[in-house]
Amino acid sequence: ARYYALMLVVIGAMNGLSLSENLLYLYAFWLACGIASFSLIAFHKKDPVARAAARKAYLITLVSDLCLLAGIVSLYFATNPRTFDIHVIVEAARSGAVPASRLVFPAFAVLIGAMGRSAQAPLHVWLPGAMEAPSSASALIDAAATLNGGVVLLVHLYGAFHAVPHWAAGVTWVGSVTLLWGALAAMRTHDLKKMLGYSTMSQLGYMFLATGTGSILAGQFHMVSHAVFKSLLFLGAGAVVHESGTRDMDLLSGAGKKMPLTRRMFMLGVMGLSGIPLTSGFFSKDMVFSGALHTHAYLALAAAVLGAALTFTYSWRAYLRVFTGELSNALSDAREVPKSMAWPMGVLGIGTLCSWLL
């Protein structure tokens, strides 16, 4: 009951955050989402590792949340008439009623708030510990909901801040550095879920890059694509961890022999993540590249392409290590997942192939 109550709080808070037209309401939902996520990371209350990871996530995101609050308050005082209404603020900035010089502090304070929530470098250090949450919570928190909050916030306020000197370039470079940093970290880790966590950090970097270059549709497209295929990967990884009792890829091999359906679903997720043609990840990532190319952000484009190559490498390496080869001792008693776990993976697998049609 506690688990599903927290999951529903995350879903409700993210809906509220996405739909709010008032910055105070948005901030309230932002905090609710953070508190529920902290509680899910520490869901196994008797595990000291989970408790420590939750404390770390709370303290780091608290700093970024306070920066966001400072940005919202300063934005309120910068506008005339004073308001928290997002549409009024954006129109005032676009019309020149609020000069760009008065928006410098709120713009960068909001950026720091978004960086903390979306695990952008260097405020990403809490993310690996978040993998202590149950796998279905990881799918929701890291892939489909909470970590996207920073991107949603920047999209809401892009119209107000894009003319602030160096702000858009700052967002672009935060995304570029993070997508490379996350991909390199994913290459080095042997923990299956942490690899997916670092991958999430990297893919969120693509969304920041798209937002910074003004490709708002590309960022939102990749957000939806990523939510589908990364949730599928987290659920597939959770199924393997459930059957083996370990997340260490050095101890896992041959899972496909005992779990053929999970193997196929995980492979579809890897195809989406690595951008195999005709999957949703291929089209959304291509649109991010296109946005960087059209705005002449060539260095950011080069970083994005290099990150895509690294993503292809670590994702397929993980698939081959876990699902092919000789059957490991950890999986000797493994069984295929029941229907209650198979159906969600099947739906997400179809979405990985077809969601781009929307």
Side-chain angles (χ1 to χ4, degrees), residues 21-275:
E21 298 182 358
N22 181 292
L23 286 174
L24 277 186
Y25 295 158
L26 184 149
Y27 190 70
F29 286 119
W30 180 280
L31 293 180
C33 204
I35 292 168
S37 300
F38 158 84
S39 302
L40 283 167
I41 294 170
F43 183 76
H44 299 297
K45 296 185 289 185
K46 295 181 180 180
D47 184 354
V49 177
R51 294 203 305 270
R55 283 196 298 270
K56 188 174 186 179
Y58 174 77
L59 290 173
I60 293 173
T61 55
L62 177 63
V63 173
S64 61
D65 291 351
L66 290 174
C67 287
L68 175 58
L69 180 61
I72 290 172
V73 172
S74 60
L75 196 57
Y76 172 80
F77 286 107
T79 53
N80 188 20
R82 292 172 180 172
T83 180
F84 289 109
D85 189 290
I86 293 173
H87 294 295
V88 174
I89 292 170
V90 170
E91 285 303 315
R94 282 177 172 167
S95 66
V98 180
S101 59
R102 296 183 65 183
L103 296 174
V104 172
F105 176 79
F108 284 96
V110 166
L111 175 57
I112 293 172
M115 288 169 62
R117 177 53 56 87
S118 291
Q120 299 294 284
L123 299 179
H124 69 284
V125 292
W126 63 272
L127 182 61
M131 298 303 107
E132 298 304 321
S135 294
S136 52
S138 298
L140 182 66
I141 296 171
D142 298 333
T146 308
L147 264 72
N148 291 326
V151 181
V152 171
L153 176 68
L154 294 182
V155 169
H156 275 328
L157 293 171
Y158 178 82
F161 294 153
H162 72 93
V164 173
H166 309 301
W167 183 81
V171 175
T172 300
W173 280 108
V174 165
S176 301
V177 170
T178 301
L179 70 89
L180 283 177
W181 196 327
L184 290 170
M187 289 281 291
R188 293 183 59 192
T189 187
H190 299 282
D191 185 307
L192 179 58
K193 282 186 65 179
K194 284 186 179 180
M195 182 273 291
L196 294 175
Y198 283 124
S199 174
T200 296
M201 165 187 164
S202 179
Q203 298 307 304
L204 285 161
Y206 280 98
M207 299 172 209
F208 268 65
L209 189 158
T211 304
T213 57
S215 303
I216 302 300
L217 176 60
Q220 292 181 320
F221 184 10
H222 195 54
M223 183 190 297
V224 174
S225 296
H226 177 257
V228 174
F229 63 67
K230 186 56 67 64
S231 295
L232 176 58
L233 287 169
F234 268 116
L235 293 182
V240 174
V241 173
H242 183 265
E243 292 299 320
S244 66
T246 181
R247 303 187 323 211
D248 190 340
M249 288 188 283
D250 290 337
L251 303 177
L252 296 170
S253 64
K257 295 178 180 179
K258 293 277 190 164
M259 310 173 72
L261 175 64
T262 303
R263 173 181 179 168
R264 295 188 191 99
M265 293 299 102
F266 197 91
M267 184 175 69
L268 285 176
V270 168
M271 289 172 65
L273 174 59
S274 58

